[in-house]
Amino acid sequence: MLWASIFLTVFLLSGCARKNSAPIAPADKDKLVSAELTVYAYDSLTAEWGLIPAFLSDFEKTSGLKVKMVKFTDTGAMLSQLILEKDQPKADVVMGLDNLNYAQIANKNILEPYRPVLADKISSDLWFDKNFTLTPFDYGYIGFVYDSRKIKFAGPISLKDLVDSKYKDKIIIEQAGLSSPGTQLLVWSKSALSAVDYDKFWLGMKDNVLTVAPDWSTAYYSLFLQGEAPIVLSYLTSPAYHIDQEKANNYQAVPIKEGYFRQVEGVAVIKGATNSNGAKKFIDYVLSQSVQDKIATTQWMWPVMPSSSLPVAFGQIITPTSSQILYMDSAILSANLDQWLKKYNSVFGL
Amino acid sequence: MFDLIMGILSNLNWPVIFARLWFGSWESLATVFLSLLIGGGLALWQNFARVKKIIWFDIIMIMPIFLPPIVVGLGLISIWGNNGLVNQGLNFLGLTPIKFLYNGFSVVLAHCYYNIPLVYLAISLKLSNLHPAFEDSAMVMGASRLKILTAVIWPRLRSAVLAVSALVFLYSFTSFALPLVLGGIKHQTLEVYIYRLFTGQLNFASAISLAIGQTAFLFGLVILFLKKMNYFNESYVNPIQLGIGKKNIKLLLSQIALAIFLLAPLSGLIIMGGRGSGFEANFLFLIRSGFLPAFGRSLALAGLSFIFSILIAGFFLFGRRRRAFWPVLWLSVSPVCFGLIWRWLIGQSLLSAFLAFVLISWPFNFFLLSSYYHSRPSFFYDSLKIMGANNWQMIKATVNYLAPALLKIFCLHLVFVLGDVAISGLVTPYGQPTVMLLNYSLIGSYRFGACALGMSLVLAMILILLLAINLFATQAREMKKFLLFHFRAEE
């Protein structure tokens, strides 16, 4: 009897939590500009000192919209929710999906293309596609950050040099398939190295990594900054934080000869959103100068708008030139990522 | 239907599943064994030595049980890591550092950190309700300590040992974060694989199938285990409860050593609290981040969810049939699956967080309450009836009897809710985080020093609250005794 009551309560509550199930006619959607806007984003975007809190109240005042923010522990959980809700989406906007997520979600018909007002100001090599299914708002580069007090790099090295035995137990990486930087490293090595070198790289990394952490926070904060190992997989912009906030120059990025893989993050309208007009306003606002100027010191990534202001510390870190940026076509990613992950898991004995 | 099931099963990576099952089983069994040996052993020693309980030690033992994995992980790394205190000491002595962590044994170490105190509390709670008369009689008749342990104490302690062993096994087997942080990629539980299926491969059917399979496996295992349980009714008058006890220096030193093992990792957090801008700047940053409202929110959630959780535990405790069935089934459910489906169905709100805390905590509260309740004297209710007590007076008497257990359970619940990150991360709404979630979220903004300071402050506040609660309870008992004595004297 009790369990019947509990299930009934859960069922009723789920009904209360859901939006109206009846689809809204397109003509009526225009009337919803002054209504609520539901935004999905991952944790660090919505955290107390993250990007979204920095501009949300201004956006609400400017647009007249009331924003309901739903946060997720990571983009994987966010993707799962979007897929589960595909037929009756609760969200209007999703923010924080990156190029790898785009490859997973592109053919699932979940996002609605929208070309923002300032689209032409964004460099075309940052675009996910010509239809702006996902609109880029910031980008960064995966890299290895090291503590120069404990290890030295005389000059640029090759990615495959990291498997040298002198780096044994000196590297911390994140797990591919569970963590975005970890998966980005998989794709980085695939695009930077030949097939033979790629296999050798991962066999060598298996011996050299001190541990494979589940996420960036654990790798960077719990392990690297505790001094467990002198090299960690992070972003090229991580040293900028230490220079800017801690006045510390000892954290630097390892210069890699083959170049760097770029992670681009985007914001998109959800197909079937109740308030798609409000969602489009949100996307346009994210590309505005006031928001783009905040990205560098909240996300510690590069804003997509070229005229945005950057802290002085960004001038003291590695900024890849166009010839140093590595690419991977999203169709190739989409077709092969699962296979690469399986092989990666088998290398690590999973 | 059959094709659908076969399709789902063929999508699962069976070598990985068996590897995770194997790892989960052996590390859980090792955790149970070590926790019983150290935690249970200490409780037994304390009982044998007839040593009076020390409040500060009990409070320290309560603290680790529900600390968030990041705190425990950071703490263990600061002591046992490659750059930890132990290895720094070895370096200082000119010895080769040892890689203690990032293997299967460090997962066992981390689980023992949580579960040694849990076993100690459960066993000492049970022992405090065993009348020493049987042991004294056996000793007078010439029985050795071992004989007393096996023939006199063990039959009466067995149910508590089996129940807490089942709990420790379940918690270790379904553990998620610590194996990831300290065990590296190879030493992960099945929960992690379920999570990867959900969020990494977006394969919901396989994830749910595996979660159901895991639940059935754990449930079956634990039910077989618990069939060995039976309950003994005992007199609850134990000298140690009355504050009478001897002193034992060796036991005291062991308690201090265990307290150091539990507290030392947490001290690493305090040192990190000054990182970056310094203590003062980090503290002001925390206040501006909404630390105090978040703490108040967590306290309110803890208090309210405790009341409802205890009501549910009480419903099953005083129900007629199948007491342990539903709590054990509930504990066997995959936490990852539960969290993701709960969030999908119920969404994010303070009400959702409140309900989630109630539903997750009640089985644990049930087992603790049940252990204490079933140690009541067999003549408890008969005596009340003979004295003409009505239903309300019987309820009052039961609550009075259970009061010490309820206080301990409340302390554990407080630590659980205040220290939680996992549930809060899933279900609390934007802009209304719980206190530990607020601290944890600072990492993503690179505010490492403020994060560490925030966690240290929460732990300090938990300690102060636990001390205050226990002192208040002691004062209240003394006041009650005084008032009863005073009024009776006047009569």
Side-chain angles (χ1 to χ4, degrees), chain A residues 249-270:
Chain A
N249 291 320
N250 54 297
Y251 299 111
Q252 295 167 28
V254 180
I256 301 289
K257 284 180 191 165
E258 288 92 352
Y260 309 90
F261 188 74
R262 184 159 58 194
Q263 179 193 33
V264 185
E265 292 185 313
V267 55
V269 181
I270 304 295

PDB file of all heavy atoms in Angstrom, chain A residues 249-270:
ATOM      1  N   ASN A 249      53.633  32.305 -11.999  1.00  0.00           N
ATOM      2  CA  ASN A 249      54.054  31.973 -13.362  1.00  0.00           C
ATOM      3  C   ASN A 249      54.518  30.538 -13.533  1.00  0.00           C
ATOM      4  O   ASN A 249      54.962  30.156 -14.606  1.00  0.00           O
ATOM      5  CB  ASN A 249      55.229  32.881 -13.769  1.00  0.00           C
ATOM      6  CG  ASN A 249      54.778  34.309 -13.947  1.00  0.00           C
ATOM      7  OD1 ASN A 249      53.712  34.568 -14.470  1.00  0.00           O
ATOM      8  ND2 ASN A 249      55.588  35.236 -13.468  1.00  0.00           N
ATOM      9  N   ASN A 250      54.443  29.753 -12.466  1.00  0.00           N
ATOM     10  CA  ASN A 250      55.031  28.419 -12.552  1.00  0.00           C
ATOM     11  C   ASN A 250      54.161  27.408 -13.314  1.00  0.00           C
ATOM     12  O   ASN A 250      54.639  26.352 -13.700  1.00  0.00           O
ATOM     13  CB  ASN A 250      55.363  27.871 -11.160  1.00  0.00           C
ATOM     14  CG  ASN A 250      54.157  27.891 -10.237  1.00  0.00           C
ATOM     15  OD1 ASN A 250      53.627  28.944  -9.927  1.00  0.00           O
ATOM     16  ND2 ASN A 250      53.731  26.723  -9.806  1.00  0.00           N
ATOM     17  N   TYR A 251      52.874  27.722 -13.524  1.00  0.00           N
ATOM     18  CA  TYR A 251      52.031  26.794 -14.286  1.00  0.00           C
ATOM     19  C   TYR A 251      52.027  27.239 -15.744  1.00  0.00           C
ATOM     20  O   TYR A 251      51.608  28.362 -16.058  1.00  0.00           O
ATOM     21  CB  TYR A 251      50.607  26.754 -13.722  1.00  0.00           C
ATOM     22  CG  TYR A 251      50.563  26.281 -12.289  1.00  0.00           C
ATOM     23  CD1 TYR A 251      50.221  27.153 -11.256  1.00  0.00           C
ATOM     24  CD2 TYR A 251      50.890  24.960 -11.960  1.00  0.00           C
ATOM     25  CE1 TYR A 251      50.202  26.719  -9.941  1.00  0.00           C
ATOM     26  CE2 TYR A 251      50.873  24.528 -10.647  1.00  0.00           C
ATOM     27  CZ  TYR A 251      50.532  25.411  -9.641  1.00  0.00           C
ATOM     28  OH  TYR A 251      50.525  24.976  -8.335  1.00  0.00           O
ATOM     29  N   GLN A 252      52.493  26.365 -16.612  1.00  0.00           N
ATOM     30  CA  GLN A 252      52.590  26.706 -18.037  1.00  0.00           C
ATOM     31  C   GLN A 252      52.095  25.537 -18.868  1.00  0.00           C
ATOM     32  O   GLN A 252      52.003  24.411 -18.374  1.00  0.00           O
ATOM     33  CB  GLN A 252      54.046  27.015 -18.397  1.00  0.00           C
ATOM     34  CG  GLN A 252      54.578  28.258 -17.688  1.00  0.00           C
ATOM     35  CD  GLN A 252      56.079  28.378 -17.809  1.00  0.00           C
ATOM     36  OE1 GLN A 252      56.680  27.903 -18.767  1.00  0.00           O
ATOM     37  NE2 GLN A 252      56.688  29.022 -16.831  1.00  0.00           N
ATOM     38  N   ALA A 253      51.806  25.822 -20.138  1.00  0.00           N
ATOM     39  CA  ALA A 253      51.345  24.760 -21.030  1.00  0.00           C
ATOM     40  C   ALA A 253      52.536  24.186 -21.797  1.00  0.00           C
ATOM     41  O   ALA A 253      53.464  24.914 -22.166  1.00  0.00           O
ATOM     42  CB  ALA A 253      50.327  25.313 -22.011  1.00  0.00           C
ATOM     43  N   VAL A 254      52.496  22.882 -22.026  1.00  0.00           N
ATOM     44  CA  VAL A 254      53.558  22.216 -22.791  1.00  0.00           C
ATOM     45  C   VAL A 254      53.375  22.559 -24.264  1.00  0.00           C
ATOM     46  O   VAL A 254      52.309  22.321 -24.819  1.00  0.00           O
ATOM     47  CB  VAL A 254      53.477  20.683 -22.604  1.00  0.00           C
ATOM     48  CG1 VAL A 254      54.572  20.002 -23.404  1.00  0.00           C
ATOM     49  CG2 VAL A 254      53.554  20.318 -21.128  1.00  0.00           C
ATOM     50  N   PRO A 255      54.402  23.134 -24.910  1.00  0.00           N
ATOM     51  CA  PRO A 255      54.251  23.407 -26.348  1.00  0.00           C
ATOM     52  C   PRO A 255      54.355  22.103 -27.139  1.00  0.00           C
ATOM     53  O   PRO A 255      55.312  21.345 -26.970  1.00  0.00           O
ATOM     54  CB  PRO A 255      55.443  24.338 -26.655  1.00  0.00           C
ATOM     55  CG  PRO A 255      56.395  24.183 -25.511  1.00  0.00           C
ATOM     56  CD  PRO A 255      55.697  23.554 -24.373  1.00  0.00           C
ATOM     57  N   ILE A 256      53.332  21.859 -27.966  1.00  0.00           N
ATOM     58  CA  ILE A 256      53.272  20.601 -28.736  1.00  0.00           C
ATOM     59  C   ILE A 256      53.472  20.918 -30.213  1.00  0.00           C
ATOM     60  O   ILE A 256      52.795  21.779 -30.784  1.00  0.00           O
ATOM     61  CB  ILE A 256      51.907  19.904 -28.530  1.00  0.00           C
ATOM     62  CG1 ILE A 256      51.689  19.599 -27.039  1.00  0.00           C
ATOM     63  CG2 ILE A 256      51.800  18.633 -29.372  1.00  0.00           C
ATOM     64  CD1 ILE A 256      52.545  18.513 -26.452  1.00  0.00           C
ATOM     65  N   LYS A 257      54.384  20.186 -30.836  1.00  0.00           N
ATOM     66  CA  LYS A 257      54.762  20.479 -32.231  1.00  0.00           C
ATOM     67  C   LYS A 257      53.596  20.272 -33.200  1.00  0.00           C
ATOM     68  O   LYS A 257      53.402  21.055 -34.126  1.00  0.00           O
ATOM     69  CB  LYS A 257      55.894  19.557 -32.667  1.00  0.00           C
ATOM     70  CG  LYS A 257      57.257  19.909 -32.135  1.00  0.00           C
ATOM     71  CD  LYS A 257      58.278  18.902 -32.644  1.00  0.00           C
ATOM     72  CE  LYS A 257      59.600  19.082 -31.919  1.00  0.00           C
ATOM     73  NZ  LYS A 257      60.502  17.944 -32.107  1.00  0.00           N
ATOM     74  N   GLU A 258      52.816  19.227 -32.997  1.00  0.00           N
ATOM     75  CA  GLU A 258      51.770  18.889 -33.982  1.00  0.00           C
ATOM     76  C   GLU A 258      50.620  19.879 -33.977  1.00  0.00           C
ATOM     77  O   GLU A 258      49.840  19.948 -34.917  1.00  0.00           O
ATOM     78  CB  GLU A 258      51.203  17.496 -33.692  1.00  0.00           C
ATOM     79  CG  GLU A 258      52.141  16.344 -34.030  1.00  0.00           C
ATOM     80  CD  GLU A 258      52.994  15.945 -32.835  1.00  0.00           C
ATOM     81  OE1 GLU A 258      52.959  16.660 -31.794  1.00  0.00           O
ATOM     82  OE2 GLU A 258      53.711  14.934 -32.927  1.00  0.00           O
ATOM     83  N   GLY A 259      50.507  20.641 -32.934  1.00  0.00           N
ATOM     84  CA  GLY A 259      49.385  21.578 -32.847  1.00  0.00           C
ATOM     85  C   GLY A 259      48.397  21.145 -31.793  1.00  0.00           C
ATOM     86  O   GLY A 259      48.640  20.215 -31.028  1.00  0.00           O
ATOM     87  N   TYR A 260      47.263  21.814 -31.768  1.00  0.00           N
ATOM     88  CA  TYR A 260      46.291  21.643 -30.688  1.00  0.00           C
ATOM     89  C   TYR A 260      44.895  21.457 -31.263  1.00  0.00           C
ATOM     90  O   TYR A 260      44.542  22.053 -32.285  1.00  0.00           O
ATOM     91  CB  TYR A 260      46.307  22.860 -29.749  1.00  0.00           C
ATOM     92  CG  TYR A 260      47.683  23.209 -29.271  1.00  0.00           C
ATOM     93  CD1 TYR A 260      48.479  24.101 -29.989  1.00  0.00           C
ATOM     94  CD2 TYR A 260      48.216  22.619 -28.115  1.00  0.00           C
ATOM     95  CE1 TYR A 260      49.759  24.402 -29.564  1.00  0.00           C
ATOM     96  CE2 TYR A 260      49.501  22.915 -27.697  1.00  0.00           C
ATOM     97  CZ  TYR A 260      50.267  23.801 -28.426  1.00  0.00           C
ATOM     98  OH  TYR A 260      51.546  24.089 -28.014  1.00  0.00           O
ATOM     99  N   PHE A 261      44.111  20.648 -30.557  1.00  0.00           N
ATOM    100  CA  PHE A 261      42.735  20.435 -30.983  1.00  0.00           C
ATOM    101  C   PHE A 261      41.848  21.457 -30.297  1.00  0.00           C
ATOM    102  O   PHE A 261      41.988  21.689 -29.093  1.00  0.00           O
ATOM    103  CB  PHE A 261      42.289  19.011 -30.620  1.00  0.00           C
ATOM    104  CG  PHE A 261      40.959  18.641 -31.195  1.00  0.00           C
ATOM    105  CD1 PHE A 261      40.824  18.360 -32.549  1.00  0.00           C
ATOM    106  CD2 PHE A 261      39.827  18.603 -30.396  1.00  0.00           C
ATOM    107  CE1 PHE A 261      39.596  18.041 -33.089  1.00  0.00           C
ATOM    108  CE2 PHE A 261      38.586  18.285 -30.920  1.00  0.00           C
ATOM    109  CZ  PHE A 261      38.478  18.002 -32.277  1.00  0.00           C
ATOM    110  N   ARG A 262      40.956  22.051 -31.048  1.00  0.00           N
ATOM    111  CA  ARG A 262      40.127  23.124 -30.504  1.00  0.00           C
ATOM    112  C   ARG A 262      38.788  22.584 -30.016  1.00  0.00           C
ATOM    113  O   ARG A 262      38.120  21.821 -30.714  1.00  0.00           O
ATOM    114  CB  ARG A 262      39.906  24.205 -31.558  1.00  0.00           C
ATOM    115  CG  ARG A 262      39.139  25.406 -31.030  1.00  0.00           C
ATOM    116  CD  ARG A 262      39.352  26.649 -31.855  1.00  0.00           C
ATOM    117  NE  ARG A 262      38.984  26.484 -33.233  1.00  0.00           N
ATOM    118  CZ  ARG A 262      39.336  27.344 -34.197  1.00  0.00           C
ATOM    119  NH1 ARG A 262      40.043  28.405 -33.921  1.00  0.00           N
ATOM    120  NH2 ARG A 262      38.960  27.126 -35.434  1.00  0.00           N
ATOM    121  N   GLN A 263      38.392  23.026 -28.825  1.00  0.00           N
ATOM    122  CA  GLN A 263      37.066  22.718 -28.308  1.00  0.00           C
ATOM    123  C   GLN A 263      36.227  23.985 -28.449  1.00  0.00           C
ATOM    124  O   GLN A 263      36.620  25.042 -27.944  1.00  0.00           O
ATOM    125  CB  GLN A 263      37.133  22.307 -26.838  1.00  0.00           C
ATOM    126  CG  GLN A 263      35.775  21.985 -26.235  1.00  0.00           C
ATOM    127  CD  GLN A 263      35.803  21.881 -24.720  1.00  0.00           C
ATOM    128  OE1 GLN A 263      36.558  22.566 -24.044  1.00  0.00           O
ATOM    129  NE2 GLN A 263      34.977  21.013 -24.170  1.00  0.00           N
ATOM    130  N   VAL A 264      35.115  23.891 -29.151  1.00  0.00           N
ATOM    131  CA  VAL A 264      34.217  25.030 -29.310  1.00  0.00           C
ATOM    132  C   VAL A 264      32.918  24.707 -28.575  1.00  0.00           C
ATOM    133  O   VAL A 264      32.377  23.609 -28.731  1.00  0.00           O
ATOM    134  CB  VAL A 264      33.905  25.305 -30.801  1.00  0.00           C
ATOM    135  CG1 VAL A 264      33.074  26.571 -30.945  1.00  0.00           C
ATOM    136  CG2 VAL A 264      35.182  25.419 -31.607  1.00  0.00           C
ATOM    137  N   GLU A 265      32.450  25.645 -27.799  1.00  0.00           N
ATOM    138  CA  GLU A 265      31.189  25.432 -27.074  1.00  0.00           C
ATOM    139  C   GLU A 265      30.082  26.258 -27.721  1.00  0.00           C
ATOM    140  O   GLU A 265      30.339  27.378 -28.203  1.00  0.00           O
ATOM    141  CB  GLU A 265      31.338  25.849 -25.612  1.00  0.00           C
ATOM    142  CG  GLU A 265      32.276  24.934 -24.842  1.00  0.00           C
ATOM    143  CD  GLU A 265      32.319  25.278 -23.371  1.00  0.00           C
ATOM    144  OE1 GLU A 265      32.443  26.456 -23.020  1.00  0.00           O
ATOM    145  OE2 GLU A 265      32.245  24.330 -22.552  1.00  0.00           O
ATOM    146  N   GLY A 266      28.888  25.704 -27.674  1.00  0.00           N
ATOM    147  CA  GLY A 266      27.797  26.377 -28.354  1.00  0.00           C
ATOM    148  C   GLY A 266      26.526  26.469 -27.549  1.00  0.00           C
ATOM    149  O   GLY A 266      26.378  25.852 -26.487  1.00  0.00           O
ATOM    150  N   VAL A 267      25.602  27.259 -28.101  1.00  0.00           N
ATOM    151  CA  VAL A 267      24.276  27.444 -27.489  1.00  0.00           C
ATOM    152  C   VAL A 267      23.256  27.245 -28.611  1.00  0.00           C
ATOM    153  O   VAL A 267      23.499  27.626 -29.760  1.00  0.00           O
ATOM    154  CB  VAL A 267      24.175  28.841 -26.827  1.00  0.00           C
ATOM    155  CG1 VAL A 267      24.506  29.965 -27.801  1.00  0.00           C
ATOM    156  CG2 VAL A 267      22.824  29.060 -26.205  1.00  0.00           C
ATOM    157  N   ALA A 268      22.124  26.609 -28.293  1.00  0.00           N
ATOM    158  CA  ALA A 268      21.174  26.270 -29.361  1.00  0.00           C
ATOM    159  C   ALA A 268      19.735  26.323 -28.877  1.00  0.00           C
ATOM    160  O   ALA A 268      19.451  26.192 -27.688  1.00  0.00           O
ATOM    161  CB  ALA A 268      21.480  24.869 -29.887  1.00  0.00           C
ATOM    162  N   VAL A 269      18.843  26.494 -29.849  1.00  0.00           N
ATOM    163  CA  VAL A 269      17.405  26.428 -29.571  1.00  0.00           C
ATOM    164  C   VAL A 269      16.989  24.960 -29.641  1.00  0.00           C
ATOM    165  O   VAL A 269      17.438  24.224 -30.526  1.00  0.00           O
ATOM    166  CB  VAL A 269      16.616  27.230 -30.638  1.00  0.00           C
ATOM    167  CG1 VAL A 269      15.126  27.191 -30.336  1.00  0.00           C
ATOM    168  CG2 VAL A 269      17.116  28.657 -30.723  1.00  0.00           C
ATOM    169  N   ILE A 270      16.124  24.556 -28.766  1.00  0.00           N
ATOM    170  CA  ILE A 270      15.637  23.177 -28.783  1.00  0.00           C
ATOM    171  C   ILE A 270      14.458  23.088 -29.741  1.00  0.00           C
ATOM    172  O   ILE A 270      13.552  23.936 -29.708  1.00  0.00           O
ATOM    173  CB  ILE A 270      15.170  22.742 -27.374  1.00  0.00           C
ATOM    174  CG1 ILE A 270      16.294  22.927 -26.356  1.00  0.00           C
ATOM    175  CG2 ILE A 270      14.659  21.306 -27.370  1.00  0.00           C
ATOM    176  CD1 ILE A 270      17.491  22.063 -26.583  1.00  0.00           C
TER     177      ILE A 270
END
